[in-house]
Amino acid sequence: MTQRVAILISGGGSNMLALLRSMTGAHPARPVLVAANDPAAGGLARAAQAGVPVAAVDHRTFRGDRAAFEAALLEHLDAARPDWLCLAGFMRILTPGFVARFAGRMLNIHPSLLPKYPGLHTHARALAAGDREAGCTVHEVTADLDAGPILGQARVPVLPGDTAATLAARVLPMEHRLYPAVLRRVCEGNRTPLFLD
Ligand code: GAR
């Protein structure tokens, strides 16, 4: 049976678009919802243009009440009945209760070679550490931030003169390759980590 994929975004949604574009033809999944915590997230219009239902739940209206924000988000998700939930540039921390609802079915892409640099400012931190390579990771989401089982990684070189911006621009196209490849694998029942370079 076709598997149903919901995607959470906060911004432009380039990874979300890469996922949407991959789910065609013989792919075992189809997108059922793109939701954002910011009504101004650029990715919402891109998803709508691609014909995917969209929803916005503005976290600011909940004034720090994470549980209430998540309850509102869950109304949309429950209606969409996703088998998989993909975080794609979703910049809100989720409570353990929310994560438990999607245990084993929630994926995230993070712009570092985890376990290095969980959290923010990953590229600046890789440069400050003098790393010779950088990259991105797709992992299962657990209650611990950016720490769930790794499902795939892609590496790029750090080049002389790199800034956080140039490094991010080198990593992003790898994100767009890695995330769809991992999503397809897990939909096919394969959780063996995939390594690209
Ligand atoms: C991507 O680089 C993604 O890895 C990162 O945000 C960017 C979103 O870009 N995610 C995180 O930092 C999560 N902690 P996009 O909206 O164009 O996909």
Side-chain angles (χ1 to χ4, degrees):
M1 221 168 63
T2 306
Q3 296 172 59
R4 303 167 67 85
V5 175
I7 304 172
L8 300 184
I9 63 170
S10 295
S14 70
N15 276 289
M16 172 274 297
L17 263 192
L19 292 174
L20 293 189
R21 287 181 177 144
S22 73
M23 285 184 267
T24 59
H27 197 290
R30 289 291 184 271
V32 294
L33 178 71
V34 171
N37 63 297
D38 179 355
L44 287 175
R46 300 169 92 180
Q49 200 167 14
V52 179
V54 297
V57 178
D58 190 343
H59 70 274
R60 288 164 297 202
T61 61
F62 296 91
R63 297 177 182 278
D65 185 346
R66 274 184 206 278
F69 163 68
E70 290 176 355
L73 191 56
L74 274 170
E75 282 186 29
H76 293 281
L77 289 170
D78 286 345
R81 293 179 291 107
D83 300 297
W84 298 96
L85 183 55
C86 292
L87 310 185
F90 184 68
M91 303 307 278
R92 306 301 299 168
I93 290 177
L94 296 165
T95 65
F98 185 96
V99 172
R101 286 281 296 261
F102 295 94
R105 306 188 289 131
M106 192 181 342
L107 313 181
N108 180 43
I109 186 150
H110 184 75
S112 79
L113 295 172
L114 290 172
K116 281 189 162 184
Y117 317 127
L120 299 176
H121 311 302
T122 55
H123 301 304
R125 289 156 71 197
L127 291 173
D131 290 356
R132 306 280 293 276
E133 60 177 9
C136 53
T137 303
V138 176
H139 64 95
E140 205 177 298
V141 176
T142 60
D144 297 319
L145 182 68
D146 299 330
I150 289 173
L151 298 168
Q153 272 184 333
R155 291 164 191 278
V156 301
V158 174
L159 300 179
D162 261 341
T163 63
T166 61
L167 189 51
R170 193 172 308 118
V171 171
L172 194 61
M174 294 303 279
E175 297 186 37
H176 299 161
R177 280 180 57 201
L178 182 69
Y179 208 174
V182 170
L183 175 63
R184 187 172 184 136
R185 278 161 79 90
V186 297
C187 286
E188 291 169 349
N190 183 358
R191 287 176 190 256
T192 313
L194 172 68
F195 296 100
L196 301 178
D197 55 14

